[in-house]
Coordinates of all heavy atoms in Angstrom, one line a residue:
M1 N 0.8 -1.2 0.0 CA 0.0 -0.1 0.1 C 0.9 1.3 0.0 O 0.5 2.2 -0.7 CB -1.0 0.0 1.2 CG -1.8 1.1 1.3 SD -3.3 0.9 2.3 CE -2.5 0.9 3.9
V2 N 1.9 1.3 0.8 CA 2.8 2.5 0.8 C 3.5 2.7 -0.4 O 3.6 3.9 -0.9 CB 3.9 2.3 1.9 CG1 4.9 3.4 1.8 CG2 3.2 2.4 3.3
R3 N 4.0 1.6 -1.0 CA 4.7 1.7 -2.3 C 3.8 2.3 -3.4 O 4.2 3.0 -4.2 CB 5.3 0.4 -2.7 CG 6.4 0.0 -1.9 CD 7.2 -1.2 -2.3 NE 8.3 -1.4 -1.4 CZ 8.8 -2.6 -1.3 NH1 8.4 -3.7 -1.9 NH2 9.7 -2.8 -0.5
A4 N 2.5 1.8 -3.3 CA 1.6 2.4 -4.3 C 1.4 3.9 -4.3 O 1.4 4.6 -5.2 CB 0.2 1.7 -4.2
R5 N 1.4 4.4 -3.0 CA 1.3 5.9 -2.8 C 2.6 6.5 -2.9 O 2.5 7.8 -3.4 CB 0.6 6.1 -1.3 CG -0.8 5.8 -1.2 CD -1.4 6.3 0.0 NE -0.4 6.5 1.1 CZ -0.6 6.3 2.4 NH1 -1.8 5.7 2.8 NH2 0.3 6.4 3.3
E6 N 3.6 6.1 -2.4 CA 4.9 6.8 -2.4 C 5.9 6.4 -3.4 O 6.8 7.1 -3.7 CB 5.6 6.6 -1.0 CG 4.8 7.0 0.2 CD 5.4 6.8 1.4 OE1 6.2 5.7 1.6 OE2 5.3 7.4 2.5
G7 N 5.7 5.2 -4.1 CA 6.7 4.7 -4.9 C 7.6 3.8 -4.2 O 8.0 4.1 -3.1
K8 N 8.2 2.9 -4.9 CA 9.1 2.0 -4.2 C 10.3 2.5 -3.6 O 10.6 2.2 -2.4 CB 9.6 0.9 -5.3 CG 10.3 -0.2 -4.8 CD 10.7 -1.3 -5.8 CE 11.4 -2.4 -5.3 NZ 11.7 -3.4 -6.3
E9 N 11.0 3.4 -4.3 CA 12.2 4.0 -3.8 C 11.9 4.9 -2.4 O 12.7 4.7 -1.4 CB 13.0 4.8 -4.8 CG 13.5 3.9 -5.9 CD 12.5 3.6 -6.9 OE1 11.4 4.1 -7.0 OE2 12.8 2.5 -7.6
V10 N 10.8 5.7 -2.5 CA 10.5 6.5 -1.4 C 10.1 5.7 -0.2 O 10.4 5.9 0.9 CB 9.5 7.6 -1.7 CG1 9.0 8.4 -0.6 CG2 10.0 8.6 -2.8
A11 N 9.3 4.8 -0.5 CA 8.9 3.7 0.6 C 10.1 3.1 1.2 O 10.1 3.0 2.4 CB 7.7 2.8 0.0
H12 N 10.9 2.5 0.5 CA 12.1 2.0 1.0 C 13.0 2.8 1.9 O 13.3 2.5 3.0 CB 13.0 1.3 -0.1 CG 14.1 0.7 0.4 ND1 14.1 -0.5 1.0 CD2 15.4 1.1 0.4 CE1 15.4 -0.8 1.4 NE2 16.2 0.2 1.0
R13 N 13.2 4.1 1.4 CA 14.0 5.0 2.1 C 13.3 5.4 3.4 O 13.9 5.5 4.4 CB 14.2 6.3 1.2 CG 15.1 7.5 1.8 CD 15.1 8.6 1.1 NE 14.0 9.3 0.6 CZ 13.0 9.9 1.3 NH1 13.2 10.1 2.6 NH2 11.9 10.3 0.8
R14 N 12.0 5.7 3.4 CA 11.4 6.1 4.6 C 11.3 4.9 5.6 O 11.4 5.1 6.9 CB 9.9 6.5 4.3 CG 9.9 7.9 3.6 CD 8.5 8.5 3.5 NE 8.0 8.8 4.9 CZ 6.8 9.1 5.1 NH1 5.9 9.1 4.2 NH2 6.4 9.3 6.3
S15 N 11.2 3.7 5.2 CA 11.3 2.5 6.0 C 12.6 2.3 6.7 O 12.6 2.0 7.9 CB 10.9 1.2 5.2 OG 10.9 0.1 6.1
V16 N 13.7 2.5 5.9 CA 15.1 2.4 6.5 C 15.3 3.6 7.5 O 15.8 3.4 8.6 CB 16.1 2.5 5.4 CG1 17.4 2.7 6.0 CG2 16.1 1.3 4.5
E17 N 14.7 4.8 7.2 CA 14.8 5.9 8.2 C 14.1 5.6 9.4 O 14.6 5.9 10.5 CB 14.4 7.1 7.6 CG 15.2 7.8 6.4 CD 14.6 8.8 5.6 OE1 13.4 9.2 5.8 OE2 15.2 9.5 4.8
D18 N 13.0 5.0 9.2 CA 12.1 4.6 10.5 C 13.0 3.6 11.4 O 13.0 3.8 12.6 CB 10.8 3.9 10.1 CG 9.8 4.9 9.5 OD1 10.0 6.2 9.6 OD2 8.8 4.5 9.0
H19 N 13.5 2.6 10.6 CA 14.2 1.6 11.4 C 15.4 2.1 12.1 O 15.8 1.9 13.2 CB 14.6 0.4 10.5 CG 13.5 -0.3 10.0 ND1 13.3 -0.9 8.8 CD2 12.3 -0.7 10.7 CE1 12.1 -1.6 8.7 NE2 11.5 -1.5 9.8
V20 N 16.1 3.0 11.5 CA 17.3 3.7 12.1 C 17.0 4.4 13.4 O 17.6 4.3 14.3 CB 18.1 4.5 11.1 CG1 19.0 5.5 11.7 CG2 18.8 3.7 10.0
A21 N 15.8 5.2 13.2 CA 15.3 6.0 14.4 C 14.9 5.1 15.4 O 15.1 5.4 16.6 CB 14.2 6.8 13.7
I22 N 14.3 4.0 15.1 CA 14.0 3.0 16.2 C 15.1 2.5 16.9 O 15.3 2.5 18.2 CB 13.1 1.9 15.7 CG1 11.6 2.4 15.2 CG2 12.8 0.8 16.6 CD1 10.9 1.5 14.3
V23 N 16.1 2.0 16.2 CA 17.4 1.6 16.8 C 18.1 2.5 17.6 O 18.5 2.3 18.6 CB 18.3 0.9 15.7 CG1 19.8 0.5 16.2 CG2 17.7 -0.4 15.0
D24 N 18.1 3.8 17.1 CA 18.7 4.9 17.8 C 18.0 5.3 19.2 O 18.6 5.2 20.2 CB 18.7 6.2 17.0 CG 19.6 6.2 15.9 OD1 20.6 5.4 15.8 OD2 19.6 7.1 15.1
A25 N 16.7 5.1 19.1 CA 16.0 5.4 20.5 C 16.1 4.1 21.4 O 16.3 4.4 22.6 CB 14.5 5.5 20.1
L26 N 16.3 2.9 20.7 CA 16.6 1.7 21.7 C 17.9 2.0 22.3 O 18.1 1.7 23.5 CB 16.5 0.5 20.8 CG 15.1 -0.1 20.5 CD1 15.3 -1.1 19.4 CD2 14.4 -0.6 21.8
A27 N 19.0 2.4 21.5 CA 20.3 2.5 22.0 C 20.3 3.5 23.2 O 21.1 3.4 24.1 CB 21.2 2.9 20.9
R28 N 19.4 4.6 23.0 CA 19.4 5.5 24.1 C 18.6 5.1 25.2 O 18.5 5.8 26.2 CB 18.8 6.8 23.5 CG 19.8 7.6 22.5 CD 19.2 9.1 22.2 NE 17.7 9.2 22.0 CZ 17.0 8.9 20.9 NH1 17.7 8.6 19.9 NH2 15.7 9.0 20.9
R29 N 18.0 4.0 25.1 CA 17.0 3.4 26.2 C 15.9 4.4 26.4 O 15.4 4.6 27.6 CB 17.8 3.1 27.4 CG 19.0 2.0 27.1 CD 19.7 1.5 28.3 NE 19.1 0.6 29.1 CZ 19.0 -0.7 28.9 NH1 19.4 -1.1 27.7 NH2 18.4 -1.5 29.8
D30 N 15.4 5.1 25.4 CA 14.5 6.1 25.5 C 13.1 5.4 25.2 O 12.6 5.3 24.0 CB 14.7 7.2 24.6 CG 13.6 8.4 24.7 OD1 12.5 8.2 25.2 OD2 14.0 9.6 24.2
R31 N 12.3 4.8 26.2 CA 11.1 4.2 26.0 C 10.1 5.0 25.2 O 9.4 4.4 24.5 CB 10.6 3.7 27.3 CG 11.3 2.6 28.0 CD 10.6 2.3 29.4 NE 11.0 1.1 29.8 CZ 10.6 0.6 30.9 NH1 9.6 1.2 31.5 NH2 11.0 -0.6 31.3
V32 N 10.0 6.2 25.7 CA 8.9 7.1 25.0 C 9.3 7.2 23.5 O 8.2 7.1 22.7 CB 8.8 8.5 25.7 CG1 7.9 9.4 25.0 CG2 8.4 8.3 27.1
A33 N 10.4 7.4 23.3 CA 10.8 7.7 21.8 C 10.7 6.4 21.0 O 10.2 6.4 19.8 CB 12.3 8.3 21.5
V34 N 11.0 5.3 21.7 CA 10.8 3.9 21.0 C 9.5 3.6 20.6 O 9.0 3.3 19.5 CB 11.4 2.8 21.8 CG1 11.0 1.4 21.3 CG2 13.0 2.9 22.0
R35 N 8.5 3.8 21.7 CA 7.1 3.6 21.3 C 6.5 4.5 20.3 O 5.7 4.0 19.6 CB 6.3 3.7 22.7 CG 6.7 2.6 23.8 CD 6.1 2.9 25.1 NE 4.7 2.3 24.9 CZ 3.5 2.8 25.5 NH1 3.7 3.9 26.3 NH2 2.5 2.4 25.3
R36 N 6.9 5.9 20.3 CA 6.4 6.8 19.4 C 6.9 6.3 18.0 O 6.1 6.3 17.1 CB 6.8 8.1 19.7 CG 6.8 9.2 18.7 CD 5.5 9.4 18.1 NE 4.2 9.5 19.0 CZ 3.1 9.4 18.5 NH1 2.8 9.7 17.3 NH2 2.0 9.4 19.3
R37 N 8.2 6.0 17.8 CA 8.7 5.7 16.5 C 8.2 4.3 15.9 O 7.7 4.2 14.8 CB 10.2 5.5 16.5 CG 11.1 6.8 16.9 CD 10.9 7.7 15.7 NE 11.8 8.8 15.9 CZ 12.1 9.6 14.9 NH1 11.7 9.4 13.7 NH2 13.0 10.6 15.0
L38 N 8.0 3.3 16.9 CA 7.4 2.1 16.4 C 5.9 2.3 16.0 O 5.4 1.8 14.9 CB 7.5 1.1 17.6 CG 8.7 0.4 17.8 CD1 8.7 -0.5 19.1 CD2 9.1 -0.5 16.7
A39 N 5.1 3.1 16.9 CA 3.7 3.3 16.4 C 3.5 4.1 15.1 O 2.7 3.8 14.2 CB 3.0 4.1 17.6
D40 N 4.4 5.1 15.0 CA 4.4 5.9 13.8 C 4.7 5.0 12.6 O 4.1 5.0 11.6 CB 5.4 7.0 13.7 CG 4.8 8.2 14.7 OD1 3.6 8.2 15.1 OD2 5.7 9.0 15.0
H41 N 5.8 4.1 12.7 CA 6.2 3.3 11.6 C 5.1 2.3 11.3 O 4.8 2.1 10.2 CB 7.5 2.5 12.1 CG 8.0 1.7 11.0 ND1 8.5 2.0 9.9 CD2 8.0 0.3 11.0 CE1 8.7 0.9 9.1 NE2 8.5 -0.3 9.7
L42 N 4.6 1.6 12.4 CA 3.4 0.6 12.1 C 2.1 1.2 11.4 O 1.5 0.4 10.6 CB 3.2 -0.2 13.4 CG 4.3 -1.0 13.9 CD1 3.9 -1.5 15.3 CD2 4.7 -2.1 13.0
V43 N 1.9 2.4 11.8 CA 0.5 2.9 11.2 C 0.8 3.9 10.0 O -0.1 4.4 9.4 CB -0.3 3.5 12.3 CG1 -0.7 2.5 13.4 CG2 0.4 4.8 12.9
R44 N 2.0 4.2 9.7 CA 2.3 5.1 8.6 C 1.6 4.8 7.4 O 1.0 5.7 6.7 CB 3.8 5.2 8.3 CG 4.2 6.2 7.3 CD 5.7 6.3 7.1 NE 6.5 5.1 6.8 CZ 6.7 4.7 5.6 NH1 6.4 5.4 4.7 NH2 7.5 3.7 5.4
A45 N 1.5 3.7 7.0 CA 0.8 3.3 5.6 C -0.6 3.1 5.7 O -1.2 2.4 4.9 CB 1.7 2.1 5.1
T46 N -1.2 3.3 6.9 CA -2.6 3.0 7.0 C -3.4 4.1 7.3 O -2.8 5.3 7.4 CB -2.8 2.0 8.3 OG1 -2.5 2.6 9.6 CG2 -1.7 0.7 8.1
T47 N -4.7 3.8 7.6 CA -5.6 4.9 8.0 C -5.7 4.9 9.5 O -6.6 5.6 10.1 CB -7.0 4.6 7.4 OG1 -7.4 3.4 7.8 CG2 -7.0 4.7 5.9
L48 N -4.9 4.2 10.2 CA -4.8 4.1 11.7 C -4.1 5.3 12.3 O -3.8 5.2 13.5 CB -4.3 2.7 12.1 CG -5.2 1.7 11.7 CD1 -4.5 0.3 12.0 CD2 -6.5 1.6 12.1
Q49 N -3.4 6.2 11.5 CA -2.6 7.2 12.2 C -3.2 7.9 13.3 O -2.7 8.1 14.3 CB -2.1 8.2 11.2 CG -1.1 9.1 11.6 CD 0.3 8.5 11.9 OE1 0.8 7.7 11.1 NE2 0.9 8.8 13.1
S50 N -4.5 8.1 13.3 CA -5.2 8.9 14.3 C -5.3 8.0 15.5 O -5.5 8.5 16.6 CB -6.6 9.2 13.8 OG -7.3 8.0 13.6
L51 N -5.1 6.7 15.5 CA -5.1 5.9 16.7 C -3.8 5.8 17.3 O -3.7 5.2 18.5 CB -5.6 4.4 16.2 CG -7.1 4.4 15.6 CD1 -7.3 2.9 15.3 CD2 -8.1 4.8 16.7
A52 N -2.7 6.2 16.7 CA -1.4 6.0 17.3 C -1.4 6.7 18.7 O -0.8 6.1 19.6 CB -0.2 6.5 16.5
D53 N -1.9 7.8 18.9 CA -1.9 8.5 20.2 C -2.7 7.6 21.3 O -2.2 7.6 22.4 CB -2.4 9.9 20.2 CG -1.5 10.8 19.4 OD1 -0.2 10.6 19.3 OD2 -1.9 11.9 18.9
Q54 N -3.8 7.1 20.8 CA -4.5 6.2 21.7 C -3.7 5.0 22.1 O -3.8 4.7 23.3 CB -5.8 5.9 21.1 CG -6.8 7.0 20.9 CD -8.0 6.5 20.1 OE1 -8.4 5.3 20.1 NE2 -8.7 7.5 19.5
L55 N -3.1 4.4 21.2 CA -2.2 3.2 21.5 C -1.1 3.6 22.5 O -0.9 2.8 23.3 CB -1.7 2.7 20.3 CG -2.6 2.1 19.2 CD1 -1.8 1.8 17.9 CD2 -3.1 0.9 19.7
L56 N -0.6 4.8 22.2 CA 0.5 5.2 23.2 C 0.0 5.6 24.6 O 0.9 5.8 25.5 CB 1.3 6.3 22.6 CG 2.0 6.0 21.3 CD1 2.6 7.1 20.6 CD2 3.2 4.8 21.7
D57 N -1.3 5.8 24.9 CA -1.8 6.2 26.1 C -1.7 5.0 27.1 O -1.8 5.1 28.3 CB -3.3 6.6 26.1 CG -3.3 8.1 25.6 OD1 -2.3 8.8 25.6 OD2 -4.3 8.6 25.1
V58 N -1.5 3.7 26.6 CA -1.4 2.6 27.4 C -0.1 2.6 28.2 O 0.9 2.8 27.4 CB -1.6 1.4 26.6 CG1 -1.4 0.1 27.4 CG2 -3.0 1.4 25.9
P59 N -0.1 2.4 29.4 CA 1.4 2.3 30.1 C 2.2 1.3 29.4 O 1.7 0.1 29.2 CB 0.9 2.2 31.5 CG -0.5 2.3 31.7 CD -1.2 2.2 30.3
P60 N 3.5 1.6 29.4 CA 4.4 0.6 28.8 C 4.6 -0.5 29.8 O 4.5 -0.3 31.1 CB 5.6 1.2 28.5 CG 5.6 2.4 29.6 CD 4.1 2.8 29.6
F61 N 4.7 -1.8 29.4 CA 5.0 -2.9 30.2 C 6.5 -2.9 30.6 O 7.2 -2.5 29.8 CB 4.5 -4.2 29.6 CG 5.3 -4.5 28.3 CD1 6.5 -5.3 28.3 CD2 4.7 -4.1 27.0 CE1 7.0 -5.5 27.1 CE2 5.3 -4.5 25.9 CZ 6.5 -5.1 25.9
D62 N 6.7 -3.4 31.7 CA 8.2 -3.4 32.3 C 8.8 -4.7 31.7 O 8.3 -5.8 32.1 CB 8.2 -3.3 33.7 CG 9.6 -3.0 34.3 OD1 10.6 -2.8 33.5 OD2 9.7 -3.0 35.5
V63 N 9.9 -4.7 31.1 CA 10.7 -5.8 30.6 C 11.9 -6.0 31.2 O 12.9 -6.0 30.5 CB 10.6 -5.9 29.1 CG1 9.3 -6.0 28.4 CG2 11.3 -4.5 28.6
R64 N 12.0 -6.0 32.4 CA 13.3 -6.1 33.2 C 13.7 -7.6 33.2 O 13.1 -8.5 33.3 CB 13.2 -5.6 34.6 CG 13.1 -4.1 34.5 CD 13.0 -3.7 35.9 NE 12.5 -2.2 35.8 CZ 12.2 -1.5 36.8 NH1 12.4 -2.0 38.0 NH2 11.6 -0.4 36.7

C-alpha cells in the first residue's frame, strides 16, 4: 500500500529511516521515543494514524 502511494524507492528510504530511528531510540534506552517511533512506523501506511496516540496512552509494560 505504501509503495503504491509513495513509490518503491521513497517507501524503502522512509522505511530504512524509520528503522534507524527506532534503533537509535533503543540504544538511548528512551522508552517514550521507541514507542512513538514504532507506533508511527507501524501505522504510517494505514488509515490508523489517528489511533497512534490512543495506543501510546497505554502504560508501557516493564521488561526487566
Side-chain angles (χ1 to χ4, degrees):
M1 183 164 65
V2 171
R3 287 183 178 160
R5 287 194 333 222
E6 298 177 333
K8 185 177 179 179
E9 291 79 18
V10 173
H12 177 73
R13 180 182 50 77
R14 288 190 67 192
S15 184
V16 170
E17 289 170 355
D18 288 350
H19 291 142
V20 168
I22 292 165
V23 170
D24 287 345
L26 285 167
R28 292 191 318 272
R29 303 178 80 74
D30 183 342
R31 286 179 164 185
V32 173
V34 169
R35 293 179 79 215
R36 166 57 37 191
R37 294 294 192 160
L38 281 170
D40 288 346
H41 176 67
L42 292 172
V43 300
R44 178 171 62 89
T46 71
T47 58
L48 300 175
Q49 188 65 45
S50 63
L51 297 178
D53 290 331
Q54 292 175 19
L55 293 171
L56 294 172
D57 282 340
V58 176
F61 58 90
D62 194 3
V63 288
R64 292 184 196 172

